Amino acid sequence: MSLTQEKCLKMYTDMWRIRLFEEEANRQTNLGNVVGTLHMYCGEEAVAVGVCANLRDDDYVLGTHRSHGHCIAKGAESDKMMAELFGKATGTCKGKGGSMHVADFSLNMLGANGIVGAGIGPTTGTALASKIRGTDQVSVCFFGDGAAARGTFHEAIAMGSLWQLPVVYVCENNGYQQWVPRKNVAVVDSVADMAGSYSIPGVSVNGQDAIEVYEVIAEAVARARSGGGPSLIEARTYRFYGHSLGDEQQYRTEEEVEERKLNADPINILRDFMTERNWLSSADDDQVQQRAGDEITRAAKFAEESPWPEMGEVGTDVLFDAKEVA
Ligand SMILES: Cc1ncc(C[n+]2csc(CCOP(=O)(O)OP(=O)(O)O)c2C)c(N)n1
Ligand SMILES: [Mg+2]
């Protein structure tokens, strides 16, 4: 898919929607309105938007424990997502999933996942299903650098390669695995280098730059869609917040975080790209931010005013017998 002004504006807008959604979710958590913890995606937005801007509505996406951005970029509605975080009946999963399990099957966004690396196998599965059915849908899996150390990564990618499945494996390498710097535990610096072990293309990209992500993913998606098999893309990125709530971040300095915010904010990088081409005036920019802000304010109001699930709903859509908890 070629890069157009419209495409850039969509990615830019979605980055603001993700950023403001998360900042509001963080604020609502501090107010006690969000059930459970949050894993903030701020700083990594260019990966989600650069990938999803290449996808069709019927393509499959599986996420991670840090998936608000993946869901919004795939088209999930922010009001239903916020309601999900609040545990309300109007949430994308009727309030039963929360932040770590937001899913919207109507968009083929098959879900965030609290288990590190657990989406890689199912993505290989959806890709296998598409191949057997003869559709040209592509499956994309997001996972962290920590997940690349799990057995599921090796097993699933080996199968994806063996069967030449239409899948793009996207590793968000943010340099940390919870509180552990990747350099302390990984023997291979670049996750993309691991692609050679499975005879598939591996590319490392600057994950702060939505355009770079977009272009590399465009090629990988085209290859997958035309029967050329899987790719492994490593997006080098950085999270601006701690791993999850209450993280004192003793494993990195404040200076490091401030430097990244100053020099590697994906929103600023895309804004500069568009401004240089006269694709975004400052009035357009104000409008994008205003609209995104209004949307997120409405989403929080919607979540707050939504009803709690009925007690009778406790046993539906979940894998346990409601009688056991009655
Ligand atoms: C199988 C499994 N092991 C451990 C955990 C605890 N845990 C949650 S997030 C995380 C770190 C994941 O690091 P990475 O894959 O790099 O993702 P990031 O948090 O950096 O986005 C760990 C160890 C878990 N949820 N699941
Ligand atoms: Mg990580």
Side-chain angles (χ1 to χ4, degrees):
M1 282 190 212
S2 62
L3 186 67
T4 57
Q5 179 180 7
E6 195 189 351
K7 202 53 108 178
C8 282
L9 191 60
K10 164 96 174 95
M11 291 196 283
Y12 186 71
T13 303
D14 280 351
M15 284 208 278
W16 271 111
R17 294 174 63 228
I18 296 166
R19 178 75 54 95
L20 297 181
F21 177 89
E22 289 221 305
E23 286 175 352
E24 181 62 21
N26 196 30
R27 200 177 74 81
Q28 293 291 344
T29 305
N30 292 331
L31 292 173
N33 290 333
V34 169
V35 188
T37 192
L38 281 188
H39 297 84
M40 300 282 284
Y41 192 65
C42 286
E44 305 190 17
E45 295 94 339
V47 189
V49 302
V51 170
C52 291
N54 280 294
L55 300 182
R56 294 193 321 224
D57 288 350
D58 65 342
D59 289 332
Y60 293 101
V61 167
L62 277 96
T64 66
H65 50 287
R66 198 180 297 291
S67 256
H68 304 147
H70 309 143
C71 295
I72 290 177
K74 186 67 170 69
E77 290 167 42
S78 55
D79 52 356
K80 289 187 190 155
M81 278 181 62
M82 193 66 84
E84 186 59 37
L85 270 54
F86 277 50
K88 296 293 184 77
T90 52
T92 49
C93 305
K94 302 184 193 167
K96 293 175 193 170
S99 163
M100 268 186 285
H101 302 98
V102 176
D104 190 335
F105 289 3
S106 69
L107 301 167
N108 282 352
M109 168 62 210
L110 300 190
N113 202 315
I115 300 171
V116 170
I120 313 176
T123 309
T124 304
T126 54
L128 177 61
S130 300
K131 184 160 183 169
I132 290 171
R133 288 182 182 143
T135 73
D136 65 351
Q137 290 159 290
V138 169
S139 294
V140 171
C141 181
F142 293 97
F143 54 96
D145 47 301
R150 289 210 56 210
T152 49
F153 168 90
H154 304 285
E155 293 165 18
I157 297 185
M159 279 190 254
S161 174
L162 185 68
W163 295 332
Q164 286 292 286
L165 300 180
V167 52
V168 184
Y169 300 104
V170 180
C171 179
E172 299 180 313
N173 182 355
N174 58 14
Y176 294 97
Q177 312 176 357
Q178 208 155 10
W179 311 294
V180 181
R182 175 169 169 79
K183 61 178 163 30
N184 292 6
V185 291
V187 287
V188 178
D189 176 49
S190 168
V191 175
D193 285 350
M194 296 162 84
S197 313
Y198 312 105
S199 294
I200 62 172
V203 181
S204 189
V205 63
N206 175 6
Q208 302 312 96
D209 185 336
I211 304 298
E212 269 195 43
V213 175
Y214 178 85
E215 284 175 346
V216 168
I217 295 290
E219 219 175 284
V221 166
R223 181 181 306 112
R225 215 181 288 291
S226 61
S231 309
L232 173 60
I233 310 299
E234 174 196 54
R236 296 256 180 184
T237 186
Y238 196 81
R239 61 170 158 73
F240 290 167
Y241 283 75
H243 169 71
S244 60
L245 297 184
D247 177 3
E248 290 175 5
Q249 303 186 62
Q250 288 174 353
Y251 49 84
R252 63 182 184 178
T253 61
E254 273 177 38
E255 290 75 26
E256 177 188 303
V257 180
E258 289 313 312
E259 187 281 325
R260 291 285 80 195
K261 283 184 180 169
L262 192 65
N263 297 318
D265 187 322
I267 291 183
N268 293 341
I269 292 172
L270 186 55
R271 179 193 293 116
D272 289 348
F273 176 91
M274 294 180 73
T275 309
E276 273 167 28
R277 279 157 191 75
N278 287 327
W279 283 2
L280 185 78
S281 68
S282 71
D284 297 335
D285 194 8
D286 289 347
Q287 196 181 49
V288 166
Q289 295 185 44
Q290 182 70 44
R291 282 191 182 156
D294 290 349
E295 174 192 334
I296 301 308
T297 304
R298 281 195 306 275
K301 190 163 185 291
F302 173 80
E304 207 173 342
E305 291 173 355
S306 287
W308 294 104
E310 299 285 336
M311 265 311 279
E313 272 284 308
V314 73
T316 59
D317 309 317
V318 289
L319 290 174
F320 68 84
D321 186 344
K323 288 193 286 296
E324 286 175 16
V325 294

